[in-house]
Amino acid sequence: MDDLVVRSADVFKEKQGIDLQTGHQVLRIDRENMTLSGEAFRVAYDKLLIATGASAVKPELPGFDLPGVLTLKSLSDGRRIKDFIRARKVSKAVIIGMGYIALEMGEALLARDIQVEMVKPRPTLLPWMNPELAAVIRDELEKHGVGLHPGNSIQRIEGRKGRLQVICDNQVLEAQMVLVAAGVKPNSDLAARAGLELGPAGSIAVDDSLQTSDKNIYAAGDCADAYHVVTGGKTWIPLALRANRAGWAVADNVVGREVRLPGVAGTAVFKVLDLQVARTGLSIAEAERFGFRPAEAVIKSRSRAHAHPGNSAIWVQMVGDIPTGRLLGAQLVGREGAAHRVNAVAVALHRQMTVEAFSQCDLAYAPPFGPVWDPLLTAANQLLKKL
Amino acid sequence: MDDLVVRSADVFKEKQGIDLQTGHQVLRIDRENMTLSGEAFRVAYDKLLIATGASAVKPELPGFDLPGVLTLKSLSDGRRIKDFIRARKVSKAVIIGMGYIALEMGEALLARDIQVEMVKPRPTLLPWMNPELAAVIRDELEKHGVGLHPGNSIQRIEGRKGRLQVICDNQVLEAQMVLVAAGVKPNSDLAARAGLELGPAGSIAVDDSLQTSDKNIYAAGDCADAYHVVTGGKTWIPLALRANRAGWAVADNVVGREVRLPGVAGTAVFKVLDLQVARTGLSIAEAERFGFRPAEAVIKSRSRAHAHPGNSAIWVQMVGDIPTGRLLGAQLVGREGAAHRVNAVAVALHRQMTVEAFSQCDLAYAPPFGPVWDPLLTAANQLLKKL
């Protein structure tokens, strides 16, 4: 686990000469006097960076504070989960939620021979995903013995004799451990109390130079919002690359080397058992919400050339805007070749490319890596017929 | 092998109603009278498509016509090679050439426990490739026991007692079979005799609607040239996607549905044993030849996140233009993740993106598929320092 620590506190303190004061909770930002304060300390700033991250959401329901009801956000959460599994010899777990973290946790638990049930209130597995692609993921989970219970509101968790019962509207799920992976929320309370402008989902609003509504205060990481390169509007998609990039950009801007970040395309990828799942840009529903008139194409192609050994299926959904012909997004699912393929679409989104222009791109072909017409091109060609 | 036939002659004749006349060599195009003729036949045309493909180059040197000296271009060539290996119990082969086909053939022979020596006149393994990346491929080949002999001019091949000797300037290589993979040339003789304009490497020159210098004659496939989206000039890069795409475009144009193809980015990918090798755009030397003032960055990154099991090295070379900051090309080598990553760069090249704009793209990240900063972004960030 120590390998996962990218940089320890010592490095900041000793090698980088940063006055790192851990164990100090900032309770107040005094913007007028440009100071921070907490219990028994006060610090002045010229420029301030808020990088408070996000927290796992834990529903305010009875029993979510029972031992064995755990969340995963930090490394110490991970250690706590591992310790609990070992100490209690966990053989069955319930996961509340079905997002990236829930699915990745599910896989990790299966790898330890722990039986997994997943439950959530909303009726669909991955609501942003095209149903045909989502069904592939559902089948993969079920093939590995994961019990999926969407459309189940959770009322409470009860503990009896070392077992936990997740009491839902329609059923009771029993386990030794419950993982709550019901999403994250930005840690923006401090910023909100200081009167800084907030963005989507209560994240801290920043411009393309990561400045908040106070020009001496920057925000970066999972606590801050971003521009979406497809919609031009604000979005909150807390992922590692944006967080990292924003941190570097703030450092540059604070020292006067002006950097502006165009924003995010909503690119994300994750692994579910033997499947790669990737998306970028807008889903059909998101496109409609942002005023586009979207059409989509869904194709099933192959990961390798016709008759090539090791071939497997790959699904691509692609979304375009009918009036303008613009490419708006794509989703991919497959055993191989889905994760990195999505990047070609992400680049196209950054350049507001049309589906037609994308369909003419010179993508790589060799029999071990795809058909002559890359699945992305096949999807674009099919989508063109609907635009 | 039959699985590799995408469409048999019967389908053209019976299902598609095409008057397919095999066994007829066209010897002359009479452009004035719009007819084709050969021995004992003459056919009139309104529109003509020349899709004569390319042929394997066989040097005009003594002994290249000996039995056991073979080329690989068509399916029947492949059958001939397989039959020869089986009949003669081939245990050792020499491959002349070190390009894509030579490397893929080398791998196929190794898989049949045939010892492989590769020889060619030019001094470097893949002359278009950055030396650091080429060295990775060389090491991979040598690790698998392939003997590499670049910088060896071949004088002749001699046959003695069922053994073949490839006589080079500095050494003699012995084998039971010699594969000649010394490149391909466009089959443009017929077009040239008809006075059609030729493009790079003697390919048939076509415009973006695949018309030759005669507006009633189209050319498509490995016999025809293409625009290069980076240089804006003509190029001849005979690969499957462009050939396929051009065929469809000609069909559309002939029936009056106007299609224009922007061209190729020079994207190519191949597998060498356990390595994926990909490129798109211009090498440093090509960039210089086309009047750019290029800089390159070469980085070594990882195929998965820090500390993720199954991690392997991935190398990226990226080329940019110093005066304009434009992205000009990239090359990748790695055990995983190189093949599909190249497409993101290909799309950027189609849009004349700058290295800076590319470095800001929202590429996918998850630990099983790469580091937070995708190797392409790391390469772009390093290249930016040189622009």
Side-chain angles (χ1 to χ4, degrees), chain B residues 182-201:
Chain B
V184 291
K185 58 174 190 294
N187 295 327
S188 57
D189 288 357
L190 182 67
R193 285 202 305 274
L196 295 177
E197 202 179 294
L198 296 186

Side-chain angles (χ1 to χ4, degrees), chain A residues 1 4 72 77-79 81-83 85-86 90-95 99-118 140-141 144 146 177 179 181 270-275, chain B residues 308-309 367-368:
Chain A
M1 255 197 184
L4 294 173
L72 177 65
D77 291 339
R79 194 169 277 124
I81 293 168
K82 273 189 152 174
D83 290 347
I85 289 170
R86 214 174 284 126
V90 172
S91 61
K92 195 173 168 198
V94 168
I95 299 176
Y100 305 161
I101 300 296
L103 293 168
E104 288 176 347
M105 278 307 304
E107 179 175 349
L109 296 177
L110 288 179
R112 292 171 174 260
D113 291 320
I114 295 170
Q115 198 190 326
V116 176
E117 306 274 346
M118 301 180 83
E140 177 78 4
L141 288 163
H144 284 81
V146 176
M177 181 174 81
L179 285 174
F270 58 101
K271 183 173 168 289
V272 188
L273 299 161
D274 297 328
L275 291 177
Chain B
H308 194 92

Side-chain angles (χ1 to χ4, degrees), chain B residues 236-247:
Chain B
W236 183 64
I237 305 175
L239 288 173
L241 175 61
R242 162 71 186 189
N244 208 308
R245 188 176 257 157

Side-chain angles (χ1 to χ4, degrees), chain A residues 170-189:
Chain A
N170 311 314
Q171 68 189 125
V172 175
L173 298 168
E174 224 181 62
Q176 295 141 291
M177 181 174 81
V178 175
L179 285 174
V180 184
V184 292
K185 59 175 190 294
N187 295 328
S188 57
D189 288 356

Side-chain angles (χ1 to χ4, degrees), chain A residues 3 265 267 306 340 362 364 369, chain B residues 3 265 267 306 340 343 362 364 369:
Chain A
D3 279 352
T267 314
H306 171 73
H340 298 124
D362 187 17
F369 308 119
Chain B
D3 279 351
T267 315
H306 172 72
H340 299 126
N343 290 335
D362 187 17
F369 307 119

Side-chain angles (χ1 to χ4, degrees), chain A residues 303-316:
Chain A
S303 69
R304 305 186 181 192
H306 171 73
H308 194 93
N311 219 330
S312 63
I314 184 165
W315 288 260
V316 181

Side-chain angles (χ1 to χ4, degrees), chain A residues 234-274:
Chain A
K234 282 302 192 72
T235 190
W236 184 62
I237 306 175
L239 289 174
L241 175 60
R242 163 71 186 190
N244 207 308
R245 188 177 257 157
W248 283 93
V250 169
D252 278 336
N253 283 324
V254 163
V255 299
R257 192 162 51 190
E258 194 185 305
V259 172
R260 292 177 180 275
L261 299 186
V264 299
T267 314
V269 62
F270 58 101
K271 183 173 168 289
V272 188
L273 299 161
D274 297 328

